[in-house]
Amino acid sequence: MVPHLITALNGPINELEQRILESMPAIERWFRLEWMEHTPPFYSSVDVRNAGFKLAPVDTNLFPGGWNNLTDEMLPLAVQAAMAAIEKICPEAKNLLLIPEKHTRNSFYLSNVQRLTQIFNQAGLNVRLGTLDETITKPTTLTLPDGGTLTLEPLLRTPRRLGLKDFDPCTILLNNDLSGGIPKILENLHEQYLLPPLHAGWAVRRKSNHFQSYEEVAKKFAKLLGMDPWLINPMYSQCGQVNFADGTGVDCVQSNAEALLAKVRRKYKEYGINEKPFVVVKADAGTYGMGIMTVRDPKDLEDLNRRTRNKMSVIKEGQEVSEVIIQEGVPTYERMNDAVAEPVVYMLDRYVVGGFYRVHAERGIDENLNAPGAAFVPLAFAEASHMPRPGEKPGASAPNRFYMYGVIGRLAMLAASYELEATDPDAEIYE
Amino acid sequence: MVPHLITALNGPINELEQRILESMPAIERWFRLEWMEHTPPFYSSVDVRNAGFKLAPVDTNLFPGGWNNLTDEMLPLAVQAAMAAIEKICPEAKNLLLIPEKHTRNSFYLSNVQRLTQIFNQAGLNVRLGTLDETITKPTTLTLPDGGTLTLEPLLRTPRRLGLKDFDPCTILLNNDLSGGIPKILENLHEQYLLPPLHAGWAVRRKSNHFQSYEEVAKKFAKLLGMDPWLINPMYSQCGQVNFADGTGVDCVQSNAEALLAKVRRKYKEYGINEKPFVVVKADAGTYGMGIMTVRDPKDLEDLNRRTRNKMSVIKEGQEVSEVIIQEGVPTYERMNDAVAEPVVYMLDRYVVGGFYRVHAERGIDENLNAPGAAFVPLAFAEASHMPRPGEKPGASAPNRFYMYGVIGRLAMLAASYELEATDPDAEIYE
């Protein structure tokens, strides 16, 4: 189950929506059984693209920002989910140490930190903020757009524990995706819960691992519903050793793009989809919408202009791109006042707690919307007259539509759970 | 934490509210620790009375009806809590058998059953309704005010299990408070989860046990907050062997009422409360607002008129009253358009999922409002501008006010958990 939201549009009738709604109890039970075997990520957000003929996650964020974009109405759901999460991890906990990103001048990001603080505070934890920014050597108060304040404090490391002055937390929650590498101060913390784990950070994580796990999840789920997994799964391939600046390895990207486009074309033919396929090339460890390129024709990769080469070479915190993922492009046919939109689903523990539309007026249906100029339209709770009704015509009910988005979001979250298990450096292997 | 609701009024500044808000993380942690030791009732609703000088639960219902009075906005919270509850009890469950009350002609009650069905359905269970009404021998479809339907089916008992035709549930959820006694068909079901347990039903349960447990909980909680437990605890005493029809044992009620009134008077004096104390005499096993009498002067008990004697003699399903509880009366100073109101808090598992005001235009501040003529005003979610803010002036913030009600509701729920442990006939005793 999922909060029932007013989606921005009522799209075309969709067989998938009908199938998902009809199978609601079976789907919920399936997730319940999966969560008996797997641990959900502490929190996550998933970008979903709805092509009408296909609905798929295109990005799963394990250090979600943007909590401030959720409506206030969703706060109780988030707090309730946070209570459930904490109860499992550290029920005696008094204190939570939250480690945010370093870019503290971004007031949107600070509002996100404020909202996270509020959620965990209301779930019954004293929340304080520790920063990885070593230039901050004493408590530093920042003012927020709404007049509130946040205080960043320098981290205090002892041989076995991490905290702040007079603050010893049970759980350390990272809202910093570690794109710049794993800081020494976070290593070897075996007495405290460090969440998400270090290998969930972009210093270690790879999109290709995630989508490999997602493929596995999508196949299981598709079997449950008796459908083609492609309807919810974006195909992909990958290349290592790519250097867009000097052209090394671009031939690999090109041939993979070509092969993938051919596969997509066959699928489009199978389903009678009258569209021009495209693929999206992304840094395998990239985030923040950086290092992303839409490719409609592999030939375009031959002579990239300087700007594109630069864009594809360096991502967040100056990290160089060398591994890339080539992913089937899923156009988004959601629109809000003519601007292209994609739903983003927010989860805490195994619960969907909210979502919003990322809307971009200057981008096309086949482009990444996570870019400067994007706006966020919160999805409000359903009106009384919009109670989800399994009997309702597919596509006609906004809450039903959002239920479907929540299912896809949770499939991606489950994939992240598989992914983190598979990539856990401390995992014990049982043969 | 609690959904943040728009309460119908912003009452006088209240020290208790301030103390509770300031202690929010400590309170939430305290509940978390309590739930490590105790199991919350599956669901519950608590009637709370706010006297301005005192805030106390006066009734804790372990078979709550009225779920239809909650707003649609609260459905996601209820579903999320239901998912958490089911995951703990019976994660593999496909089926839930719901056993409602027999009075199936009450369309309000049927709407409640419909809402419960919806909650558990969205939590991922196939829900079907089995009836204890032996006159129903085949599936019987009832039409609801909104045009929907409910189908009641006869129960099918095998030596070890209870179900319906082609329906074998993991969990059996009672929404029937067993006032009329424990039906044989529900006995000795050791393979399935029967919730709430049989001894939570009014055939066994006693209000006096509940308020004894509540006193214990209130003392613990008051110690945590450094306050007088009386501020949240209604004092009580009890009498057995009372027969209002022939006058037997009324002297016990009278002397207890007198002693209790004296205790309340002392408390009022201590706090400078300029009110006339009253007590409420209730059937110890009563429900449905039946068998309840307000007593301002013990002399009033001497010559009860025939109507009052009748009212106090027989309660739901014709059960005779013989044990009574004499409880400190807590006036309610909440009002809605001049009508007296009391908040009712709904909980599922350990989570507050909603609430409403029970409003009665024809009753006084010292009377029971659970009576014909009562209306229900759903508490809506807080507006964006009403986000709970610990810094806000006590009494000025509706969401803060409702947080306090939710805390009191959960204290009563915790008391019910203690009570059910203490009265469990199957409990093993460790010395």
Side-chain angles (χ1 to χ4, degrees):
Chain A
M1 201 336 260
V2 146
H4 294 281
L5 307 167
I6 295 167
T7 53
L9 84 172
N10 290 322
I13 287 174
N14 195 311
E15 198 190 307
L16 186 61
E17 183 181 307
Q18 185 153 23
R19 209 173 288 203
I20 284 178
L21 273 173
E22 284 167 358
S23 312
M24 183 173 69
I27 290 171
E28 295 302 331
R29 177 169 182 264
W30 182 82
F31 275 119
R32 213 155 58 222
L33 296 177
E34 286 288 333
W35 299 132
M36 288 175 74
E37 305 287 330
H38 305 281
T39 304
F42 188 81
Y43 55 8
S44 53
S45 71
V46 174
D47 298 352
V48 176
R49 308 268 295 202
N50 182 354
F53 56 85
K54 172 166 191 158
L55 182 71
V58 293
D59 194 23
T60 303
N61 191 341
L62 298 179
F63 302 86
W67 289 89
N68 51 310
N69 292 322
L70 299 183
T71 58
D72 290 338
E73 285 80 0
M74 287 167 183
L75 187 62
L77 270 174
V79 172
Q80 190 174 296
M83 290 171 93
I86 287 152
E87 202 207 34
K88 283 189 293 183
I89 297 161
C90 213
E92 306 92 341
K94 282 185 183 171
N95 298 330
L96 179 88
L97 173 59
L98 179 60
I99 300 186
E101 293 283 350
K102 291 184 195 170
H103 46 68
T104 50
R105 293 200 182 164
N106 179 334
S107 66
F108 293 108
Y109 182 72
L110 292 179
S111 298
N112 161 63
V113 174
Q114 182 186 36
R115 175 53 65 105
L116 278 173
T117 302
Q118 192 180 24
I119 290 170
F120 291 102
N121 195 241
Q122 291 188 21
L125 293 165
N126 301 307
V127 182
R128 281 165 65 179
L129 308 175
T131 180
L132 289 169
D133 183 345
E134 288 169 9
T135 66
I136 294 183
T137 55
K138 57 170 200 262
T140 302
T141 299
L142 305 168
T143 304
L144 290 139
D146 74 350
T149 58
L150 288 177
T151 300
L152 289 176
E153 299 179 62
L155 294 169
L156 270 188
R157 175 69 200 242
T158 61
R160 304 172 67 88
R161 299 183 73 88
L162 181 67
L164 305 173
K165 189 159 184 275
D166 304 322
F167 191 75
D168 184 30
C170 175
T171 305
I172 300 155
L173 180 60
L174 292 173
N175 197 244
N176 179 312
D177 65 20
L178 308 179
S179 282
I182 296 176
K184 266 218 145 13
I185 202 167
L186 297 181
E187 283 176 351
N188 301 311
L189 291 168
H190 303 300
E191 278 187 6
Q192 291 163 299
Y193 292 89
L194 179 62
L195 294 167
L198 293 177
H199 68 285
W202 284 119
V204 180
R205 195 177 176 223
R206 294 293 174 269
K207 288 187 170 67
S208 49
N209 287 330
H210 177 69
F211 283 100
Q212 188 183 354
S213 293
Y214 183 75
E215 191 169 87
E216 191 185 337
V217 167
K219 278 181 184 165
K220 277 193 190 184
F221 182 80
K223 198 175 163 195
L224 174 77
L225 262 64
M227 66 179 214
D228 179 354
W230 178 74
L231 296 173
I232 54 170
N233 183 36
M235 298 184 290
Y236 76 97
S237 60
Q238 63 192 113
C239 290
Q241 309 295 334
V242 178
N243 186 328
F244 283 100
D246 69 9
T248 318
V250 173
D251 54 334
C252 172
V253 180
Q254 203 174 6
S255 60
N256 272 283
E258 196 153 327
L260 189 56
L261 282 167
K263 277 166 84 178
V264 178
R265 220 170 279 123
R266 276 196 297 278
K267 274 293 180 187
Y268 280 15
K269 204 173 164 193
E270 181 186 336
Y271 284 92
I273 296 159
N274 203 3
E275 298 262 350
K276 191 172 161 54
F278 65 99
V279 298
V280 181
V281 178
K282 304 176 183 179
D284 205 6
T287 180
Y288 273 66
M290 297 168 89
I292 296 188
M293 179 171 53
T294 299
V295 176
R296 293 169 197 85
D297 184 340
K299 284 205 196 81
D300 297 346
L301 287 161
E302 273 166 30
D303 39 16
L304 295 174
N305 59 29
R306 195 173 56 86
R307 207 176 139 218
T308 306
R309 284 202 308 269
N310 283 347
K311 194 183 79 173
M312 292 304 293
S313 298
V314 177
I315 49 170
K316 196 186 159 211
E317 306 203 359
Q319 297 301 302
E320 281 186 22
V321 175
S322 73
E323 295 159 83
V324 301
I325 174 171
I326 302 105
Q327 192 175 49
E328 174 188 352
V330 182
T332 182
Y333 283 108
E334 308 256 33
R335 273 173 201 290
M336 201 175 270
N337 302 330
D338 293 336
V340 175
E342 67 187 9
V344 186
V345 179
Y346 275 69
M347 287 156 291
L348 217 160
D349 196 80
R350 65 190 184 286
Y351 304 104
V352 173
V353 297
F356 55 76
Y357 271 102
R358 184 184 286 129
V359 180
H360 206 305
E362 288 149 37
R363 292 280 172 132
I365 59 167
D366 55 357
E367 286 183 294
N368 170 44
L369 305 185
N370 190 359
F376 304 100
V377 180
L379 298 164
F381 269 83
E383 302 284 321
S385 57
H386 281 91
M387 288 305 298
R389 291 246 161 181
E392 230 159 80
K393 233 166 79 180
S397 156
N400 287 352
R401 171 61 47 95
F402 199 76
Y403 175 73
M404 176 170 67
Y405 292 160
V407 169
I408 299 297
R410 285 185 288 168
L411 291 175
M413 162 167 68
L414 180 59
S417 161
Y418 281 37
E419 171 201 352
L420 293 178
E421 283 163 24
T423 57
D424 186 353
D426 301 324
E428 289 174 45
I429 294 164
Y430 303 96
E431 290 290 343
Chain B
M1 202 332 267
V2 147
H4 295 281
L5 307 169
I6 294 168
T7 52
L9 84 173
N10 291 322
I13 286 174
N14 195 309
E15 199 189 308
L16 185 62
E17 183 181 308
Q18 185 153 23
R19 210 173 288 202
I20 284 178
L21 272 174
E22 284 167 359
S23 311
M24 184 173 68
I27 291 171
E28 295 301 332
R29 177 170 181 262
W30 182 81
F31 275 119
R32 212 154 57 221
L33 295 176
E34 287 288 333
W35 298 132
M36 286 174 76
E37 305 287 329
H38 305 281
T39 304
F42 188 80
Y43 55 7
S44 52
S45 71
V46 175
D47 297 352
V48 176
R49 308 267 295 201
N50 183 356
F53 57 84
K54 172 165 190 157
L55 182 72
V58 294
D59 193 23
T60 302
N61 191 341
L62 298 179
F63 303 85
W67 289 91
N68 51 310
N69 292 322
L70 300 182
T71 58
D72 290 337
E73 285 80 359
M74 287 166 182
L75 186 62
L77 270 173
V79 172
Q80 191 174 294
M83 289 171 94
I86 287 153
E87 201 207 35
K88 282 189 293 185
I89 297 161
C90 213
E92 306 90 341
K94 281 184 184 173
N95 298 331
L96 179 87
L97 172 60
L98 179 59
I99 299 186
E101 293 283 352
K102 289 184 197 169
H103 45 69
T104 50
R105 292 198 184 167
N106 180 334
S107 65
F108 294 108
Y109 182 72
L110 292 179
S111 298
N112 162 64
V113 174
Q114 182 186 37
R115 175 52 66 105
L116 278 173
T117 302
Q118 191 180 25
I119 290 170
F120 291 102
N121 194 240
Q122 291 189 18
L125 293 164
N126 301 308
V127 182
R128 281 165 65 178
L129 308 175
T131 181
L132 289 169
D133 183 345
E134 288 168 8
T135 66
I136 294 184
T137 54
K138 57 171 200 257
T140 303
T141 298
L142 305 168
T143 304
L144 290 138
D146 74 349
T149 59
L150 289 176
T151 302
L152 289 176
E153 298 178 63
L155 293 169
L156 269 190
R157 176 71 198 241
T158 62
R160 305 172 66 88
R161 300 183 72 89
L162 182 66
L164 305 174
K165 187 159 185 274
D166 304 323
F167 191 75
D168 184 31
C170 174
T171 305
I172 300 155
L173 180 61
L174 291 173
N175 197 243
N176 180 313
D177 65 20
L178 308 179
S179 282
I182 296 176
K184 267 219 146 9
I185 202 167
L186 297 182
E187 282 176 351
N188 301 311
L189 290 169
H190 302 300
E191 277 186 6
Q192 290 163 299
Y193 292 90
L194 178 62
L195 295 167
L198 293 176
H199 68 286
W202 285 118
V204 180
R205 194 176 175 222
R206 294 293 175 268
K207 288 187 170 64
S208 48
N209 287 330
H210 178 69
F211 284 101
Q212 189 183 352
S213 293
Y214 183 76
E215 191 168 87
E216 191 185 337
V217 167
K219 278 181 184 166
K220 277 193 188 182
F221 183 79
K223 198 173 163 195
L224 175 78
L225 262 64
M227 66 179 213
D228 180 355
W230 179 74
L231 296 172
I232 54 169
N233 183 36
M235 298 185 290
Y236 76 98
S237 61
Q238 63 193 112
C239 287
Q241 309 295 332
V242 179
N243 185 329
F244 283 99
D246 69 8
T248 318
V250 173
D251 55 333
C252 171
V253 180
Q254 205 175 4
S255 60
N256 273 282
E258 196 153 327
L260 189 56
L261 282 167
K263 279 167 83 178
V264 177
R265 221 171 278 123
R266 277 198 296 280
K267 275 292 181 187
Y268 279 17
K269 204 172 163 192
E270 180 187 335
Y271 283 93
I273 296 158
N274 204 4
E275 299 264 349
K276 191 173 162 52
F278 65 99
V279 298
V280 181
V281 178
K282 304 175 184 179
D284 206 4
T287 180
Y288 273 66
M290 297 169 88
I292 297 189
M293 178 171 52
T294 298
V295 176
R296 295 168 195 85
D297 184 339
K299 284 205 196 83
D300 297 346
L301 286 162
E302 272 165 28
D303 39 17
L304 294 175
N305 59 29
R306 194 173 56 86
R307 208 178 138 218
T308 306
R309 285 203 307 271
N310 284 347
K311 193 182 81 171
M312 292 303 292
S313 298
V314 176
I315 49 170
K316 195 187 160 210
E317 306 203 1
Q319 297 302 301
E320 281 186 22
V321 174
S322 74
E323 296 159 83
V324 302
I325 175 170
I326 303 106
Q327 192 176 47
E328 174 188 351
V330 182
T332 182
Y333 284 109
E334 307 256 33
R335 273 171 200 291
M336 202 175 270
N337 301 331
D338 293 335
V340 175
E342 68 188 8
V344 186
V345 179
Y346 275 69
M347 287 156 291
L348 217 159
D349 196 81
R350 65 191 185 287
Y351 304 104
V352 173
V353 297
F356 55 77
Y357 271 102
R358 185 185 285 127
V359 180
H360 206 305
E362 287 147 39
R363 292 281 171 132
I365 59 168
D366 54 359
E367 285 183 295
N368 170 43
L369 305 186
N370 190 358
F376 305 100
V377 180
L379 298 163
F381 270 84
E383 301 286 319
S385 57
H386 282 89
M387 287 306 295
R389 290 247 161 178
E392 229 160 80
K393 233 166 79 180
S397 157
N400 286 351
R401 173 59 47 95
F402 198 78
Y403 175 73
M404 177 170 64
Y405 293 159
V407 169
I408 300 298
R410 283 184 290 168
L411 292 175
M413 162 168 68
L414 180 59
S417 160
Y418 282 38
E419 171 202 353
L420 293 179
E421 283 163 22
T423 57
D424 185 354
D426 300 324
E428 289 175 45
I429 294 164
Y430 302 97
E431 290 290 342

